Amino acid sequence: MAPTCSVNLHECLDLVTRLSRQAGKLIRTRIRQKKTIETKATSIDFVTETDQEVEKMLIEGIRQKYPTHKFIGEESFAAGIKEKLTSEPTWVIDPVDGTTNFVHGYPNVCISIGLVVDCEAQLGVIFNPILDMFFRAIKGEGAYLNDEPITVSSSKCLSDSLVSVEHGSIRTDEFRSIVSHNIGYFAKHAHGIRSGGSAAWNLAMVAKGACDLYVEMGLHAWDMAAGNIIVREAGGVVIDPAGGEFQLMNRRILAASSKELANEIPSNLKQYYPEHD
Ligand code: IPD
């Protein structure tokens, strides 16, 4: 029998649903206003006051109910609070995934919250408050968009697929040349390519069956913790872009509608291995 999770996942989901809807109101108001922008790791890795405020709201709200739980949050990490992933229940949070979209008023902006227990994804929530799209999954219970069940598409090969890619925020020549090569490969062989500007959004689109494949190298655990479980619960496959097992802290992801499609991709990609967080 599969081991049961030590936390009550339905109570956790109720809590983060309430908190994300509350935080979503702030994002909806602020997207129309002038923002104060700072940069982090690179000149195009942005943070705004809203990212910081939303992360604080979420962490404080969760901590009130679960004082012993751990947190890996994008903005706490940037501020020097660098928690490692352990077997303890850990909330992995991106308060505004798609910060560049948020800065420009482009509507692909998501709150992304994943809960990992014993190093295994148990729950994920992705909320786009601008488009009012709320994606959620609990391990073993399927994936939902606004309370309707969702499933991945039936695509089994690249030549039938729509692919999400990102240019990311790393600016080195090596990285740019690898990304350009991989995007060129998809552009040549797929139905089309899209760039949502939010990893969480891209993963939600694979889960919803609106896109068949998403590959990115150089993102972070908070960009993909929720999407990883939502794609799997929608019947999709999540692996490392080189073909091995997906590792949340390795900063690389390949999410696909099927095993066949996932397996077709790795040998055709140039690989980039970012430094671990
Ligand atoms: C970024 C977005 C973007 C992806 C970057 C992420 P942020 O997250 O998800 O789509 O290409 O790798 O860092 O900074 O907007 O939270």
Side-chain angles (χ1 to χ4, degrees):
M1 208 165 77
T4 50
C5 180
S6 58
V7 288
N8 182 326
L9 296 173
H10 289 272
E11 279 181 15
C12 289
L13 178 62
D14 288 347
L15 175 67
V16 288
T17 301
R18 187 168 50 74
L19 291 171
S20 350
R21 290 217 173 263
Q22 204 179 317
K25 285 186 195 157
L26 185 70
I27 295 175
R28 239 184 349 251
T29 305
R30 295 278 179 81
I31 197 167
R32 295 191 295 265
Q33 300 174 351
K34 190 168 166 35
K35 293 110 186 156
T36 308
I37 307 159
E38 285 173 28
T39 55
K40 298 184 290 185
T42 69
S43 63
I44 50 161
D45 184 10
F46 298 132
V47 59
T48 69
E49 290 159 324
T50 308
D51 297 64
Q52 290 160 338
E53 267 177 69
V54 168
E55 183 160 317
K56 193 160 173 269
M57 272 169 80
L58 297 173
I59 292 183
E60 282 178 3
I62 298 170
R63 192 170 270 149
Q64 229 170 42
K65 182 154 170 133
Y66 301 108
T68 60
H69 287 189
K70 308 276 181 232
F71 295 89
I72 297 176
E74 177 171 18
E75 307 316 333
S76 316
F77 190 89
I81 304 168
K82 302 197 169 178
E83 284 277 4
K84 295 274 173 234
L85 187 66
T86 64
S87 58
E88 298 295 312
T90 304
W91 296 88
V92 187
I93 299 177
D94 192 334
V96 180
D97 187 47
T99 302
T100 308
N101 288 343
F102 176 71
V103 164
H104 289 269
Y106 192 89
N108 288 350
V109 171
C110 298
I111 295 171
S112 172
I113 306 174
L115 174 62
V116 182
V117 184
D118 285 326
C119 295
E120 214 180 310
Q122 299 290 339
L123 177 159
V125 157
I126 294 174
F127 179 40
N128 180 329
I130 315 302
L131 303 178
D132 196 22
M133 292 171 83
F134 194 99
F135 297 84
R136 65 176 162 91
I138 282 181
K139 190 168 176 222
E141 299 188 9
Y144 295 82
L145 162 58
N146 296 345
D147 293 336
E148 293 291 329
I150 51 171
T151 56
V152 293
S153 76
S154 57
S155 182
K156 292 199 169 24
C157 61
L158 184 60
S159 59
D160 284 340
S161 294
L162 185 63
V163 182
S164 283
V165 294
E166 290 294 332
H167 290 268
S169 56
I170 301 170
R171 282 263 153 125
T172 62
D173 289 345
E174 182 207 2
F175 181 73
R176 301 252 63 91
S177 122
I178 290 171
V179 170
S180 300
H181 171 276
N182 292 342
I183 291 179
Y185 165 71
F186 291 130
K188 185 166 175 193
H189 297 282
H191 270 180
I193 49 175
R194 299 288 180 269
S195 189
S198 155
W201 176 258
N202 295 336
L203 288 163
M205 289 302 101
V206 173
K208 187 186 175 307
C211 193
D212 310 297
L213 176 72
Y214 164 51
V215 181
E216 187 170 351
M217 307 175 206
L219 70 182
H220 297 270
W222 44 80
D223 299 313
M224 49 186 180
N228 165 38
I229 181 160
I230 295 174
V231 169
R232 288 175 198 268
E233 287 298 319
V237 173
V238 179
I239 60 171
D240 181 86
E245 208 181 302
F246 169 75
Q247 300 288 343
L248 182 62
M249 304 311 285
N250 279 4
R251 302 186 57 194
R252 297 157 47 86
I253 194 164
L254 185 160
S257 53
S258 64
K259 210 187 268 183
E260 292 86 342
L261 175 57
N263 291 343
E264 183 186 339
I265 309 303
S267 61
N268 295 297
L269 295 179
K270 283 197 177 165
Q271 300 293 330
Y272 179 78
Y273 293 91
E275 269 178 39
H276 284 201
D277 285 326

